[in-house]
Amino acid sequence: MLRLILLGPPGAGKGTQAEKLAEELEVPHISTGDILRQAVAEGTELGLEAKKVMEAGELVSDEIMLGIIRERLARDDARRGYILDGYPRTLPQARSLQSLMDERSEPPVVIANIDVDREELVRRISGRRSCPNCKAVFNVHAQPPKKSDVCDACGQKLTQRADDEEATVRQRLAVYDRQTRPLLDYYGDRVTPIDGQGTPQEVFDRLSSLVGQKAERGGRS
Ligand code: AMP
């Protein structure tokens, strides 16, 4: 049983790490960014509302986000645990999450903060490309596809997220500093810093070792 909150700026590798850890531990990877992108792709009311906000590098309202997370955590698979990637992102979201967990009588979670140097973040995010078909993620600098702009797995042309263009990336990082970084003070010594520099495997090893230690201590953070 693992309940993990993964904090960290955009581009720190939260999605990559969460995906891998979720597969290994058989718990759902809950990415609010993925949920919103799915809504945008489906053209739902939520998607239409979220699209502009996301493309501007801003945050979707706390009220909408709480509705999304409440609904997602209520699904059966989340009873086995979960990895939260991209939520909470503001202090009101962190407080709502706490009340939600209290309502569910859930014991404390493991909280990790993956951090990477600022210029490296910009480089990573603006180099990120993904496959619209099978969702595989590449990076033109660190993990290029074999053939430029083509997915290794399924041959589809790779795309760049609209909010991954450099100007929007800088805006997202400014929003992170203003609205999300304060969560580190809010959680205080419950947060364990994870060095996000190095290869994805190196970061994964650090994260797995933290999760393993916490599991041995019965999930107390
Ligand atoms: P991500 O994939 O986590 O980088 O999220 C992409 C975008 O979705 C963010 O830049 C926000 O516009 C929006 N988003 C994702 N999660 C949240 C959240 N918890 N609160 C507000 N907006 C969010």
Side-chain angles (χ1 to χ4, degrees), residues 108-172:
V109 291
V110 180
I111 307 171
N113 181 53
I114 308 183
D115 210 356
V116 174
D117 171 287
R118 192 50 53 112
E119 283 314 305
E120 171 69 8
L121 288 175
V122 176
R123 208 174 86 95
R124 281 192 192 178
I125 310 180
S126 46
R128 182 155 69 185
R129 299 290 181 277
S130 56
C131 174
N133 180 42
C134 74
K135 314 288 177 222
V137 180
F138 299 86
N139 191 291
V140 296
H141 312 293
Q143 207 190 340
K146 290 195 188 84
K147 195 169 154 207
S148 170
D149 278 342
V150 176
C151 178
D152 287 352
C154 72
Q156 187 88 9
K157 187 167 168 29
L158 299 177
T159 55
Q160 182 177 37
R161 273 169 50 175
D163 62 347
D164 277 352
E165 283 159 26
E166 189 165 337
T168 318
V169 170
R170 302 238 176 233
Q171 170 63 12
R172 286 165 65 201

Short mmCIF file of all heavy atoms in Angstrom, two decimals, residues 108-172:
data_model
loop_
_atom_site.label_atom_id
_atom_site.label_comp_id
_atom_site.label_asym_id
_atom_site.label_seq_id
_atom_site.Cartn_x
_atom_site.Cartn_y
_atom_site.Cartn_z
N PRO A 108 -1.11 8.90 7.10
CA PRO A 108 -0.28 9.85 6.37
C PRO A 108 0.36 9.26 5.12
O PRO A 108 0.58 8.05 5.04
CB PRO A 108 0.81 10.22 7.37
CG PRO A 108 0.33 9.78 8.68
CD PRO A 108 -0.67 8.69 8.47
N VAL A 109 0.66 10.13 4.22
CA VAL A 109 1.25 9.70 2.96
C VAL A 109 2.75 9.97 2.97
O VAL A 109 3.26 10.65 3.85
CB VAL A 109 0.64 10.49 1.78
CG1 VAL A 109 -0.80 10.12 1.55
CG2 VAL A 109 0.78 11.97 1.99
N VAL A 110 3.41 9.43 1.98
CA VAL A 110 4.82 9.76 1.76
C VAL A 110 4.84 10.97 0.82
O VAL A 110 4.10 11.00 -0.16
CB VAL A 110 5.56 8.58 1.08
CG1 VAL A 110 7.02 8.93 0.84
CG2 VAL A 110 5.42 7.31 1.90
N ILE A 111 5.65 11.95 1.17
CA ILE A 111 5.71 13.15 0.32
C ILE A 111 7.16 13.34 -0.15
O ILE A 111 8.07 13.41 0.68
CB ILE A 111 5.26 14.41 1.10
CG1 ILE A 111 3.88 14.16 1.74
CG2 ILE A 111 5.21 15.62 0.18
CD1 ILE A 111 3.45 15.26 2.70
N ALA A 112 7.34 13.38 -1.45
CA ALA A 112 8.69 13.56 -1.99
C ALA A 112 8.71 14.78 -2.89
O ALA A 112 7.73 15.05 -3.60
CB ALA A 112 9.10 12.33 -2.79
N ASN A 113 9.79 15.51 -2.85
CA ASN A 113 9.93 16.67 -3.72
C ASN A 113 11.13 16.46 -4.64
O ASN A 113 12.27 16.41 -4.19
CB ASN A 113 10.15 17.94 -2.88
CG ASN A 113 10.29 19.17 -3.76
OD1 ASN A 113 9.45 19.45 -4.60
ND2 ASN A 113 11.38 19.91 -3.58
N ILE A 114 10.84 16.31 -5.93
CA ILE A 114 11.93 16.13 -6.89
C ILE A 114 12.34 17.50 -7.39
O ILE A 114 11.49 18.26 -7.87
CB ILE A 114 11.47 15.29 -8.10
CG1 ILE A 114 10.82 13.98 -7.64
CG2 ILE A 114 12.63 15.01 -9.05
CD1 ILE A 114 10.41 13.06 -8.79
N ASP A 115 13.62 17.83 -7.27
CA ASP A 115 14.03 19.15 -7.75
C ASP A 115 15.21 19.06 -8.71
O ASP A 115 16.04 18.15 -8.61
CB ASP A 115 14.35 20.09 -6.59
CG ASP A 115 14.04 21.54 -6.98
OD1 ASP A 115 13.67 21.79 -8.14
OD2 ASP A 115 14.18 22.43 -6.11
N VAL A 116 15.21 19.99 -9.64
CA VAL A 116 16.22 20.04 -10.69
C VAL A 116 16.52 21.51 -10.93
O VAL A 116 15.64 22.36 -10.76
CB VAL A 116 15.66 19.42 -12.00
CG1 VAL A 116 16.61 19.58 -13.15
CG2 VAL A 116 15.33 17.95 -11.81
N ASP A 117 17.75 21.79 -11.30
CA ASP A 117 18.15 23.16 -11.57
C ASP A 117 17.34 23.83 -12.69
O ASP A 117 16.93 23.16 -13.62
CB ASP A 117 19.49 22.89 -11.95
CG ASP A 117 20.50 23.54 -12.48
OD1 ASP A 117 20.44 23.84 -13.67
OD2 ASP A 117 21.35 23.65 -11.64
N ARG A 118 17.14 25.15 -12.52
CA ARG A 118 16.19 25.87 -13.36
C ARG A 118 16.43 25.76 -14.89
O ARG A 118 15.54 25.45 -15.66
CB ARG A 118 16.20 27.34 -12.91
CG ARG A 118 15.11 28.24 -13.43
CD ARG A 118 13.72 27.71 -13.28
NE ARG A 118 13.29 27.28 -11.99
CZ ARG A 118 12.35 27.88 -11.25
NH1 ARG A 118 11.81 28.98 -11.66
NH2 ARG A 118 11.96 27.37 -10.12
N GLU A 119 17.69 26.00 -15.32
CA GLU A 119 17.95 25.96 -16.77
C GLU A 119 17.75 24.55 -17.33
O GLU A 119 17.30 24.35 -18.44
CB GLU A 119 19.35 26.49 -17.10
CG GLU A 119 19.44 28.01 -17.03
CD GLU A 119 18.27 28.74 -17.74
OE1 GLU A 119 18.02 28.48 -18.93
OE2 GLU A 119 17.57 29.55 -17.09
N GLU A 120 18.08 23.56 -16.50
CA GLU A 120 17.89 22.17 -16.90
C GLU A 120 16.39 21.88 -17.09
O GLU A 120 15.98 21.17 -18.01
CB GLU A 120 18.52 21.25 -15.85
CG GLU A 120 18.24 19.76 -15.99
CD GLU A 120 18.92 19.10 -17.20
OE1 GLU A 120 19.75 19.76 -17.86
OE2 GLU A 120 18.58 17.94 -17.48
N LEU A 121 15.56 22.49 -16.22
CA LEU A 121 14.11 22.30 -16.34
C LEU A 121 13.61 22.82 -17.69
O LEU A 121 12.86 22.16 -18.39
CB LEU A 121 13.36 23.05 -15.23
CG LEU A 121 13.44 22.49 -13.82
CD1 LEU A 121 12.76 23.44 -12.84
CD2 LEU A 121 12.82 21.11 -13.75
N VAL A 122 14.07 24.04 -18.03
CA VAL A 122 13.62 24.65 -19.28
C VAL A 122 14.06 23.79 -20.46
O VAL A 122 13.30 23.52 -21.39
CB VAL A 122 14.18 26.09 -19.42
CG1 VAL A 122 13.79 26.71 -20.76
CG2 VAL A 122 13.69 26.97 -18.27
N ARG A 123 15.31 23.31 -20.38
CA ARG A 123 15.84 22.47 -21.47
C ARG A 123 15.04 21.17 -21.59
O ARG A 123 14.64 20.77 -22.67
CB ARG A 123 17.30 22.14 -21.12
CG ARG A 123 18.20 21.90 -22.32
CD ARG A 123 19.63 21.72 -21.82
NE ARG A 123 19.86 20.32 -21.46
CZ ARG A 123 20.39 19.44 -22.28
NH1 ARG A 123 20.76 19.81 -23.49
NH2 ARG A 123 20.57 18.20 -21.89
N ARG A 124 14.77 20.56 -20.43
CA ARG A 124 14.03 19.30 -20.47
C ARG A 124 12.64 19.49 -21.02
O ARG A 124 12.18 18.73 -21.86
CB ARG A 124 13.87 18.74 -19.04
CG ARG A 124 15.09 18.07 -18.53
CD ARG A 124 14.69 17.33 -17.27
NE ARG A 124 15.86 16.86 -16.54
CZ ARG A 124 15.78 16.23 -15.39
NH1 ARG A 124 14.62 16.02 -14.81
NH2 ARG A 124 16.88 15.82 -14.79
N ILE A 125 11.94 20.52 -20.52
CA ILE A 125 10.54 20.66 -20.94
C ILE A 125 10.45 21.06 -22.40
O ILE A 125 9.63 20.53 -23.14
CB ILE A 125 9.76 21.71 -20.11
CG1 ILE A 125 9.95 21.46 -18.62
CG2 ILE A 125 8.29 21.68 -20.46
CD1 ILE A 125 9.21 22.44 -17.75
N SER A 126 11.33 22.01 -22.82
CA SER A 126 11.16 22.43 -24.20
C SER A 126 11.64 21.35 -25.18
O SER A 126 11.29 21.39 -26.36
CB SER A 126 11.77 23.82 -24.46
OG SER A 126 13.03 23.88 -23.88
N GLY A 127 12.41 20.37 -24.69
CA GLY A 127 12.84 19.26 -25.56
C GLY A 127 11.86 18.09 -25.55
O GLY A 127 12.04 17.10 -26.26
N ARG A 128 10.84 18.18 -24.72
CA ARG A 128 9.92 17.05 -24.56
C ARG A 128 9.00 16.89 -25.78
O ARG A 128 8.46 17.86 -26.29
CB ARG A 128 9.08 17.32 -23.31
CG ARG A 128 8.10 16.26 -22.94
CD ARG A 128 7.79 16.29 -21.47
NE ARG A 128 7.02 17.47 -21.06
CZ ARG A 128 6.72 17.74 -19.80
NH1 ARG A 128 7.16 16.96 -18.82
NH2 ARG A 128 6.03 18.81 -19.50
N ARG A 129 8.87 15.66 -26.26
CA ARG A 129 7.95 15.36 -27.36
C ARG A 129 7.18 14.12 -26.96
O ARG A 129 7.74 13.23 -26.32
CB ARG A 129 8.72 15.03 -28.66
CG ARG A 129 9.60 16.13 -29.19
CD ARG A 129 8.81 17.32 -29.77
NE ARG A 129 9.71 18.35 -30.28
CZ ARG A 129 10.29 19.29 -29.54
NH1 ARG A 129 10.07 19.35 -28.25
NH2 ARG A 129 11.10 20.18 -30.09
N SER A 130 5.91 14.05 -27.36
CA SER A 130 5.18 12.84 -27.01
C SER A 130 4.38 12.32 -28.18
O SER A 130 4.13 13.04 -29.15
CB SER A 130 4.30 13.08 -25.79
OG SER A 130 3.45 14.15 -26.06
N CYS A 131 4.02 11.06 -28.05
CA CYS A 131 3.28 10.41 -29.12
C CYS A 131 1.79 10.56 -28.85
O CYS A 131 1.31 10.11 -27.81
CB CYS A 131 3.67 8.94 -29.19
SG CYS A 131 2.65 8.07 -30.40
N PRO A 132 1.05 11.19 -29.76
CA PRO A 132 -0.39 11.37 -29.52
C PRO A 132 -1.14 10.04 -29.55
O PRO A 132 -2.23 9.94 -29.01
CB PRO A 132 -0.83 12.27 -30.69
CG PRO A 132 0.23 12.18 -31.72
CD PRO A 132 1.50 11.75 -31.03
N ASN A 133 -0.51 9.02 -30.13
CA ASN A 133 -1.19 7.73 -30.24
C ASN A 133 -0.94 6.86 -29.02
O ASN A 133 -1.87 6.54 -28.29
CB ASN A 133 -0.72 7.04 -31.53
CG ASN A 133 -1.37 5.70 -31.71
OD1 ASN A 133 -2.57 5.55 -31.47
ND2 ASN A 133 -0.60 4.71 -32.12
N CYS A 134 0.35 6.51 -28.74
CA CYS A 134 0.58 5.56 -27.65
C CYS A 134 1.09 6.24 -26.39
O CYS A 134 1.36 5.57 -25.39
CB CYS A 134 1.53 4.45 -28.08
SG CYS A 134 3.25 4.99 -28.22
N LYS A 135 1.22 7.57 -26.43
CA LYS A 135 1.59 8.37 -25.25
C LYS A 135 3.05 8.22 -24.82
O LYS A 135 3.43 8.73 -23.76
CB LYS A 135 0.69 8.07 -24.01
CG LYS A 135 -0.79 8.02 -24.28
CD LYS A 135 -1.35 9.39 -24.55
CE LYS A 135 -2.82 9.35 -24.91
NZ LYS A 135 -3.21 10.21 -25.99
N ALA A 136 3.88 7.52 -25.62
CA ALA A 136 5.30 7.41 -25.26
C ALA A 136 5.91 8.82 -25.23
O ALA A 136 5.51 9.69 -26.00
CB ALA A 136 6.03 6.56 -26.28
N VAL A 137 6.86 9.03 -24.30
CA VAL A 137 7.45 10.35 -24.17
C VAL A 137 8.94 10.28 -24.54
O VAL A 137 9.64 9.35 -24.15
CB VAL A 137 7.29 10.88 -22.72
CG1 VAL A 137 7.92 12.26 -22.57
CG2 VAL A 137 5.82 10.94 -22.33
N PHE A 138 9.41 11.25 -25.30
CA PHE A 138 10.82 11.32 -25.70
C PHE A 138 11.37 12.68 -25.32
O PHE A 138 10.62 13.57 -24.91
CB PHE A 138 10.95 11.14 -27.23
CG PHE A 138 10.43 9.82 -27.70
CD1 PHE A 138 9.08 9.64 -27.99
CD2 PHE A 138 11.28 8.73 -27.82
CE1 PHE A 138 8.59 8.41 -28.40
CE2 PHE A 138 10.80 7.50 -28.23
CZ PHE A 138 9.46 7.34 -28.53
N ASN A 139 12.69 12.83 -25.48
CA ASN A 139 13.27 14.15 -25.27
C ASN A 139 14.35 14.35 -26.31
O ASN A 139 15.26 13.51 -26.43
CB ASN A 139 13.84 14.26 -23.85
CG ASN A 139 14.21 15.69 -23.55
OD1 ASN A 139 15.15 16.24 -24.12
ND2 ASN A 139 13.43 16.31 -22.69
N VAL A 140 14.25 15.44 -27.07
CA VAL A 140 15.19 15.63 -28.18
C VAL A 140 16.64 15.70 -27.69
O VAL A 140 17.56 15.40 -28.43
CB VAL A 140 14.85 16.85 -29.06
CG1 VAL A 140 13.51 16.68 -29.74
CG2 VAL A 140 14.86 18.15 -28.28
N HIS A 141 16.87 16.10 -26.44
CA HIS A 141 18.24 16.18 -25.92
C HIS A 141 18.65 14.87 -25.25
O HIS A 141 19.67 14.29 -25.55
CB HIS A 141 18.37 17.29 -24.88
CG HIS A 141 17.79 18.58 -25.30
ND1 HIS A 141 18.32 19.32 -26.33
CD2 HIS A 141 16.70 19.28 -24.85
CE1 HIS A 141 17.59 20.41 -26.49
NE2 HIS A 141 16.60 20.40 -25.60
N ALA A 142 17.81 14.41 -24.31
CA ALA A 142 18.24 13.31 -23.46
C ALA A 142 17.83 11.94 -23.95
O ALA A 142 18.50 10.94 -23.67
CB ALA A 142 17.70 13.54 -22.05
N GLN A 143 16.70 11.88 -24.64
CA GLN A 143 16.18 10.56 -25.02
C GLN A 143 15.50 10.67 -26.38
O GLN A 143 14.28 10.53 -26.50
CB GLN A 143 15.15 10.15 -23.97
CG GLN A 143 14.99 8.67 -23.78
CD GLN A 143 13.77 8.39 -22.90
OE1 GLN A 143 13.29 9.25 -22.17
NE2 GLN A 143 13.27 7.18 -22.99
N PRO A 144 16.32 10.97 -27.42
CA PRO A 144 15.71 11.21 -28.73
C PRO A 144 15.16 9.93 -29.35
O PRO A 144 15.68 8.84 -29.10
CB PRO A 144 16.89 11.74 -29.57
CG PRO A 144 18.11 11.24 -28.90
CD PRO A 144 17.79 11.03 -27.45
N PRO A 145 14.10 10.05 -30.14
CA PRO A 145 13.61 8.87 -30.85
C PRO A 145 14.64 8.47 -31.91
O PRO A 145 15.46 9.31 -32.32
CB PRO A 145 12.32 9.37 -31.51
CG PRO A 145 12.49 10.85 -31.60
CD PRO A 145 13.36 11.27 -30.47
N LYS A 146 14.59 7.21 -32.37
CA LYS A 146 15.60 6.75 -33.36
C LYS A 146 15.51 7.59 -34.62
O LYS A 146 16.51 7.99 -35.19
CB LYS A 146 15.36 5.28 -33.68
CG LYS A 146 15.70 4.38 -32.51
CD LYS A 146 15.83 2.91 -32.95
CE LYS A 146 15.98 2.00 -31.75
NZ LYS A 146 14.65 1.64 -31.15
N LYS A 147 14.27 7.87 -35.06
CA LYS A 147 14.09 8.69 -36.25
C LYS A 147 13.46 10.00 -35.79
O LYS A 147 12.47 9.97 -35.05
CB LYS A 147 13.16 7.94 -37.22
CG LYS A 147 13.17 8.48 -38.60
CD LYS A 147 12.45 7.54 -39.56
CE LYS A 147 11.93 8.34 -40.73
NZ LYS A 147 10.77 7.75 -41.35
N SER A 148 14.05 11.13 -36.21
CA SER A 148 13.60 12.41 -35.72
C SER A 148 12.08 12.61 -35.82
O SER A 148 11.49 12.40 -36.90
CB SER A 148 14.36 13.50 -36.51
OG SER A 148 13.81 14.75 -36.24
N ASP A 149 11.47 12.98 -34.72
CA ASP A 149 10.03 13.30 -34.67
C ASP A 149 9.08 12.13 -34.94
O ASP A 149 7.90 12.36 -35.20
CB ASP A 149 9.69 14.45 -35.64
CG ASP A 149 9.99 15.79 -35.01
OD1 ASP A 149 10.11 15.84 -33.77
OD2 ASP A 149 10.13 16.78 -35.75
N VAL A 150 9.61 10.90 -34.89
CA VAL A 150 8.74 9.74 -35.12
C VAL A 150 8.80 8.81 -33.90
O VAL A 150 9.87 8.55 -33.36
CB VAL A 150 9.18 8.97 -36.39
CG1 VAL A 150 8.33 7.71 -36.57
CG2 VAL A 150 9.08 9.86 -37.62
N CYS A 151 7.64 8.33 -33.47
CA CYS A 151 7.57 7.48 -32.28
C CYS A 151 8.23 6.12 -32.55
O CYS A 151 7.87 5.44 -33.51
CB CYS A 151 6.11 7.27 -31.87
SG CYS A 151 5.94 6.18 -30.45
N ASP A 152 9.19 5.73 -31.69
CA ASP A 152 9.87 4.43 -31.82
C ASP A 152 8.87 3.29 -31.69
O ASP A 152 9.01 2.25 -32.32
CB ASP A 152 10.88 4.23 -30.68
CG ASP A 152 12.11 5.10 -30.84
OD1 ASP A 152 12.25 5.73 -31.91
OD2 ASP A 152 12.91 5.15 -29.88
N ALA A 153 7.88 3.48 -30.82
CA ALA A 153 6.98 2.37 -30.51
C ALA A 153 5.93 2.14 -31.58
O ALA A 153 5.64 1.00 -31.92
CB ALA A 153 6.31 2.62 -29.16
N CYS A 154 5.34 3.22 -32.12
CA CYS A 154 4.22 2.98 -33.04
C CYS A 154 4.32 3.73 -34.37
O CYS A 154 3.41 3.62 -35.19
CB CYS A 154 2.90 3.26 -32.34
SG CYS A 154 2.60 5.01 -32.08
N GLY A 155 5.38 4.52 -34.57
CA GLY A 155 5.58 5.15 -35.87
C GLY A 155 4.80 6.44 -36.10
O GLY A 155 4.91 7.06 -37.16
N GLN A 156 4.03 6.84 -35.12
CA GLN A 156 3.25 8.09 -35.25
C GLN A 156 4.16 9.31 -35.16
O GLN A 156 5.22 9.25 -34.53
CB GLN A 156 2.25 8.12 -34.07
CG GLN A 156 1.25 9.24 -34.12
CD GLN A 156 -0.01 8.84 -34.91
OE1 GLN A 156 -0.16 7.67 -35.27
NE2 GLN A 156 -0.85 9.80 -35.19
N LYS A 157 3.74 10.43 -35.80
CA LYS A 157 4.55 11.65 -35.70
C LYS A 157 4.43 12.22 -34.29
O LYS A 157 3.34 12.32 -33.74
CB LYS A 157 4.03 12.67 -36.74
CG LYS A 157 4.91 13.89 -36.84
CD LYS A 157 4.56 14.71 -38.08
CE LYS A 157 5.19 16.08 -38.12
NZ LYS A 157 6.46 16.31 -37.46
N LEU A 158 5.58 12.57 -33.70
CA LEU A 158 5.57 13.08 -32.32
C LEU A 158 5.10 14.53 -32.29
O LEU A 158 5.28 15.27 -33.26
CB LEU A 158 6.97 12.99 -31.71
CG LEU A 158 7.56 11.58 -31.62
CD1 LEU A 158 8.99 11.62 -31.08
CD2 LEU A 158 6.70 10.69 -30.72
N THR A 159 4.52 14.92 -31.17
CA THR A 159 4.06 16.31 -31.05
C THR A 159 4.63 16.92 -29.77
O THR A 159 5.09 16.22 -28.87
CB THR A 159 2.52 16.40 -30.98
OG1 THR A 159 2.08 15.56 -29.91
CG2 THR A 159 1.86 15.97 -32.26
N GLN A 160 4.57 18.27 -29.74
CA GLN A 160 5.01 18.99 -28.55
C GLN A 160 3.76 19.54 -27.86
O GLN A 160 2.87 20.06 -28.53
CB GLN A 160 5.93 20.16 -28.93
CG GLN A 160 6.45 20.90 -27.72
CD GLN A 160 7.42 22.03 -28.09
OE1 GLN A 160 7.25 22.71 -29.10
NE2 GLN A 160 8.43 22.23 -27.27
N ARG A 161 3.66 19.41 -26.54
CA ARG A 161 2.53 19.99 -25.83
C ARG A 161 2.54 21.50 -26.03
O ARG A 161 3.60 22.12 -25.96
CB ARG A 161 2.67 19.70 -24.32
CG ARG A 161 2.11 18.39 -23.89
CD ARG A 161 2.49 18.02 -22.49
NE ARG A 161 2.27 19.05 -21.47
CZ ARG A 161 2.46 18.87 -20.17
NH1 ARG A 161 2.87 17.70 -19.73
NH2 ARG A 161 2.26 19.84 -19.31
N ALA A 162 1.37 22.09 -26.26
CA ALA A 162 1.31 23.54 -26.51
C ALA A 162 1.94 24.30 -25.35
O ALA A 162 2.58 25.33 -25.54
CB ALA A 162 -0.13 23.96 -26.71
N ASP A 163 1.78 23.76 -24.12
CA ASP A 163 2.32 24.49 -22.97
C ASP A 163 3.79 24.17 -22.70
O ASP A 163 4.34 24.59 -21.70
CB ASP A 163 1.45 24.27 -21.73
CG ASP A 163 1.39 22.82 -21.28
OD1 ASP A 163 1.81 21.93 -22.05
OD2 ASP A 163 0.94 22.56 -20.14
N ASP A 164 4.43 23.41 -23.60
CA ASP A 164 5.85 23.12 -23.43
C ASP A 164 6.74 24.05 -24.25
O ASP A 164 7.96 23.90 -24.28
CB ASP A 164 6.16 21.66 -23.83
CG ASP A 164 5.87 20.68 -22.70
OD1 ASP A 164 5.58 21.14 -21.57
OD2 ASP A 164 5.95 19.46 -22.94
N GLU A 165 6.14 25.03 -24.96
CA GLU A 165 6.98 25.97 -25.70
C GLU A 165 7.66 26.89 -24.70
O GLU A 165 7.09 27.20 -23.64
CB GLU A 165 6.13 26.75 -26.70
CG GLU A 165 5.84 25.86 -27.90
CD GLU A 165 4.64 26.29 -28.69
OE1 GLU A 165 4.32 27.49 -28.64
OE2 GLU A 165 4.02 25.42 -29.31
N GLU A 166 8.87 27.36 -25.08
CA GLU A 166 9.71 28.00 -24.07
C GLU A 166 9.05 29.14 -23.29
O GLU A 166 9.15 29.21 -22.07
CB GLU A 166 11.05 28.44 -24.67
CG GLU A 166 11.99 28.88 -23.57
CD GLU A 166 13.45 29.00 -23.98
OE1 GLU A 166 13.85 28.36 -24.96
OE2 GLU A 166 14.17 29.75 -23.29
N ALA A 167 8.32 30.04 -23.99
CA ALA A 167 7.74 31.18 -23.28
C ALA A 167 6.74 30.70 -22.23
O ALA A 167 6.70 31.21 -21.10
CB ALA A 167 7.05 32.11 -24.27
N THR A 168 5.94 29.70 -22.58
CA THR A 168 4.96 29.18 -21.63
C THR A 168 5.64 28.44 -20.49
O THR A 168 5.20 28.50 -19.34
CB THR A 168 3.96 28.23 -22.34
OG1 THR A 168 3.61 28.82 -23.59
CG2 THR A 168 2.72 28.00 -21.53
N VAL A 169 6.76 27.79 -20.81
CA VAL A 169 7.50 27.08 -19.76
C VAL A 169 7.95 28.07 -18.69
O VAL A 169 7.80 27.82 -17.49
CB VAL A 169 8.72 26.36 -20.36
CG1 VAL A 169 9.63 25.83 -19.26
CG2 VAL A 169 8.28 25.24 -21.27
N ARG A 170 8.47 29.22 -19.13
CA ARG A 170 8.94 30.23 -18.15
C ARG A 170 7.78 30.70 -17.28
O ARG A 170 7.92 30.90 -16.09
CB ARG A 170 9.59 31.42 -18.86
CG ARG A 170 10.76 30.98 -19.73
CD ARG A 170 12.06 31.66 -19.34
NE ARG A 170 13.14 31.12 -20.15
CZ ARG A 170 14.28 30.62 -19.67
NH1 ARG A 170 14.51 30.59 -18.38
NH2 ARG A 170 15.20 30.14 -20.47
N GLN A 171 6.61 30.88 -17.92
CA GLN A 171 5.43 31.30 -17.17
C GLN A 171 5.02 30.21 -16.16
O GLN A 171 4.72 30.50 -15.01
CB GLN A 171 4.29 31.59 -18.16
CG GLN A 171 2.92 31.81 -17.53
CD GLN A 171 2.89 33.03 -16.61
OE1 GLN A 171 3.81 33.85 -16.60
NE2 GLN A 171 1.84 33.12 -15.81
N ARG A 172 5.07 28.96 -16.59
CA ARG A 172 4.70 27.86 -15.68
C ARG A 172 5.65 27.80 -14.49
O ARG A 172 5.25 27.52 -13.37
CB ARG A 172 4.69 26.52 -16.43
CG ARG A 172 3.48 26.39 -17.35
CD ARG A 172 3.66 25.27 -18.35
NE ARG A 172 3.74 23.96 -17.76
CZ ARG A 172 4.29 22.90 -18.36
NH1 ARG A 172 4.79 23.02 -19.58
NH2 ARG A 172 4.33 21.74 -17.76
#
